[in-house]
Amino acid sequence: MHKAVAVPGAVAVISVIAGGSLAGITGALMAIPTAAAAMILLREVFIARQDRL
């Protein structure tokens, strides 16, 4: 999973478990793209903002 969407394995497993428990099969399928989007937001917005300070 790390090579395909740059999400570490631990984050992928935790997000799939959380998504599956919250929304079933659909949540489990949407968990990886959601985790990847959250990591991109974290990296590009919040960490970049901290670097500028």
Side-chain angles (χ1 to χ4, degrees):
M1 197 56 63
H2 179 71
K3 290 180 183 178
V5 290
V7 174
V11 174
V13 169
I14 292 169
S15 65
V16 167
I17 291 172
S21 66
L22 290 174
I25 296 287
T26 306
L29 290 173
M30 293 301 296
I32 300 295
T34 304
M39 288 185 63
I40 289 172
L41 278 173
L42 251 162
R43 190 177 317 126
E44 298 295 326
V45 176
F46 298 117
I47 294 175
R49 185 178 298 160
Q50 289 177 351
D51 287 341
R52 282 186 258 150
L53 295 177

